[in-house]
Amino acid sequence: MRIDKFLKVSRLIKRRTVAAEACDAGKVYVGGRAVKPSYTLKIGDEVEIRLGQPITFVVKSLNEKASKDEAQTLYEIRNK
């Protein structure tokens, strides 16, 4: 799944276009490297979003759609 779509489905970022813009601006990192919106995310990837207060999380599941309650099960937050 593309990282911009995951960020929207997981509700970490409200809109997919905003997620894509954050990636293009170098604010989203996977494994310590800045990624583009088309980056293919895998289960177990450690992602860091540097918008406002940085947030680090590990991808647990890649669902194409998720309800509000299911969205929080897609990742596990690991702030340092």
Side-chain angles (χ1 to χ4, degrees):
M1 173 184 289
R2 291 172 53 114
I3 192 162
D4 59 342
K5 184 170 183 177
F6 178 83
L7 292 173
K8 183 220 177 264
V9 170
S10 65
R11 291 175 168 77
L12 288 165
I13 295 181
K14 195 169 189 175
R15 291 184 202 90
R16 188 168 176 177
T17 55
V18 175
E21 290 168 359
C23 291
D24 286 333
K27 306 259 184 208
V28 180
Y29 295 79
V30 176
R33 296 179 60 203
V35 294
K36 296 292 180 188
S38 61
Y39 177 84
T40 303
L41 207 54
K42 297 172 277 311
I43 293 175
D45 279 346
E46 185 172 281
V47 181
E48 182 179 0
I49 303 172
R50 297 179 184 172
L51 289 174
Q53 182 176 351
I55 182 171
T56 304
F57 63 92
V58 176
V59 178
K60 293 292 182 185
S61 179
L62 297 172
N63 296 352
E64 292 292 321
K65 295 181 181 179
S67 69
K68 186 176 181 180
D69 296 329
E70 293 171 334
Q72 293 178 343
T73 65
L74 300 179
Y75 59 90
E76 177 184 315
I77 294 181
R78 289 190 180 172
N79 276 347
K80 297 176 183 175

